[in-house]
Amino acid sequence: MRIGIQLSYAGGFKEAAERVVELERVGIEVVAVAEAYSFDAISQLGYLAAKTSRVELLTGVLPIYTRTPALLAMTAAGLDYVSDGRFALGLGTSGPQVVEGFHGVPFDAPLGRTREVVEICRKVWRRERLRYDGKHYQLPLPAERGTGLGKSLQLINHPVRERIPISIAALGPKNVELTAEIADGWQPVFFYPERADDVWGESLKAGAAKRDPALGPLDVIVGTTLAIGDDVEDRLAWVKPQLALYIGGMGAKGRNFYHDLATRYGFGDVANRIQELYLSGRKAEAIDAVPDELVRNISLVGPRGLVAQRLAAYAEAGVTTLLVAPLATDPSEVLRYVEELRALVPS
């Protein structure tokens, strides 16, 4: 199991980058930068490429709607170049709040668009002339929809690699099936190891049955919070605001992927309550309604022995890359937690 760090997309990036340099020295293997409606992830990863030398740089994740497929491919090839082949492209749909609310782009056809984006990116990296006749993307643009002067082009530069790893953030059954079929990696969120197979097992098997063997095994890339010690129980409460936001506020009723996930984990009634409170503006009450059981089982928080047990559960559930967000009070605590975690990782 690889150990990495996931950086917050809000504030303090330069300070966080300095911590990444220190963490690289103690052996972390991946750093992931998310993108929502904050600073873009690409400029931050370019900064990290210059500050680091070994860690893999991962987008966790870029929304497929906010850049054209060719621009996603160009950007990935550029980051792979400046990092000497250390970049991995994490993609996802994000959600209507960000895509429609911040970018003004329709949130439509997530499955079809994801498949086509992945296919186009791989064509660009192979330096093929872009001829693509998909349902959602046509390259070059048909004459009847443009000037009629478009011709197929290929990437001018020669990429460092023609196979940059692609991971996809997916939660729904069809999205996870597609990911297991076409992607190098899968980035689920709020991963509950003991219930993961019940929620996603059939989708993963269905996708794997159609998977090209040349892709190799699926890299299961899971993010979690981390605090190790006998006096860190209070850190569980630090996780609840984010869970309340996602379960309660990231979508209207009936259109919230995270609410659906909590329901599939067996927390349907409480997810309804969190959503009701959050959407009515009672955010503090929504945070209080997040159950300790859910927080505890999607986190690595507690004494060393408990964290070792949780690590074993993640490994048993098939996790191959663990991205941690330390719940720390100062930089030295971040470093200590990660060093202790690496010592606990099953060999």
Side-chain angles (χ1 to χ4, degrees):
M1 183 186 294
R2 298 190 302 168
I3 297 297
I5 193 93
Q6 52 184 354
L7 301 188
S8 170
Y9 43 68
F13 179 77
K14 288 186 177 180
E15 295 81 2
E18 293 303 323
R19 285 197 290 275
V20 170
V21 172
E22 294 179 23
L23 290 166
E24 184 180 50
R25 294 193 191 107
V26 301
I28 66 160
E29 296 157 276
V30 188
V31 57
V33 178
E35 183 173 285
Y37 42 100
S38 51
F39 289 146
D40 72 290
I42 302 308
S43 59
Q44 297 180 73
L45 285 164
Y47 184 86
L48 281 170
K51 301 284 278 187
T52 59
S53 59
R54 296 191 314 277
V55 293
E56 180 178 281
L57 307 172
L58 170 68
T59 49
V61 299
L62 294 183
I64 61 169
Y65 296 96
T66 58
R67 298 167 176 84
T68 67
L71 179 56
L72 282 166
M74 292 163 62
T75 300
L79 277 172
D80 206 44
Y81 173 74
V82 299
S83 66
D84 296 320
R86 292 187 286 127
F87 178 68
L89 178 61
L91 297 172
T93 59
S94 186
Q97 302 88 335
V98 173
V99 172
E100 296 182 352
F102 194 68
H103 293 280
V105 177
F107 186 88
D108 65 349
L111 287 171
R113 288 188 183 276
T114 299
R115 182 184 290 276
E116 292 186 15
V117 165
V118 170
E119 290 175 353
I120 292 168
C121 281
R122 288 173 174 159
K123 281 178 172 288
V124 171
W125 299 330
R126 292 194 298 265
R127 299 191 70 246
E128 297 178 12
R129 290 199 172 272
L130 273 186
R131 299 183 181 92
Y132 190 85
D133 187 21
K135 181 177 179 180
H136 307 287
Y137 303 101
Q138 294 84 44
L139 300 166
L141 194 67
E144 63 271 18
R145 292 177 49 206
T147 64
L149 299 176
K151 65 176 184 178
S152 60
L153 300 172
Q154 67 184 142
L155 187 69
I156 293 172
N157 309 85
H158 287 259
V160 174
R161 295 179 293 173
E162 68 171 31
R163 267 287 306 278
I164 295 171
I166 295 176
S167 59
I168 298 174
L171 293 179
K174 292 298 183 183
N175 287 18
V176 172
E177 181 177 335
L178 176 69
T179 298
E181 177 190 350
I182 69 171
D184 299 278
W186 171 42
Q187 293 191 51
V189 70
F190 304 142
F191 191 85
Y192 191 147
E194 290 83 356
R195 298 188 183 175
D197 187 62
D198 293 338
V199 173
W200 292 302
E202 290 304 315
S203 296
L204 290 169
K205 289 174 187 173
K210 296 177 283 185
R211 185 178 180 82
D212 182 348
L215 287 171
L218 186 69
D219 186 11
V220 180
I221 306 166
V222 167
T224 186
T225 48
L226 173 70
I228 303 175
D230 296 327
D231 57 350
V232 297
E233 184 76 9
D234 63 310
R235 310 290 168 93
L236 291 170
W238 297 14
V239 183
K240 292 188 177 185
Q242 184 189 38
L243 278 171
L245 167 63
Y246 277 74
I247 295 171
M250 293 295 274
K253 288 184 178 180
R255 293 199 70 190
N256 183 321
F257 313 130
Y258 311 100
H259 177 282
D260 294 346
L261 177 60
T263 300
R264 294 170 75 195
Y265 278 158
F267 296 92
D269 290 342
V270 78
N272 289 339
R273 179 62 176 158
I274 293 167
Q275 187 176 62
E276 175 188 340
L277 291 166
Y278 207 97
L279 294 179
S280 66
R282 298 154 67 185
K283 295 181 181 179
E285 292 177 67
I287 292 168
D288 288 341
V290 175
D292 288 346
E293 180 188 356
L294 176 59
V295 179
R296 192 179 302 281
N297 284 290
I298 64 169
S299 304
L300 290 174
V301 176
R304 286 174 61 91
L306 176 63
V307 171
Q309 292 174 13
R310 299 307 301 148
L311 270 175
Y314 278 102
E316 179 68 21
V319 175
T320 48
T321 299
L322 195 64
L323 301 174
V324 298
L327 303 172
T329 56
D330 58 61
S332 65
E333 204 169 48
V334 171
L335 196 64
R336 177 168 63 82
Y337 287 163
V338 172
E339 287 184 298
E340 291 188 15
L341 179 67
R342 280 186 52 77
L344 292 172
V345 172
S347 57

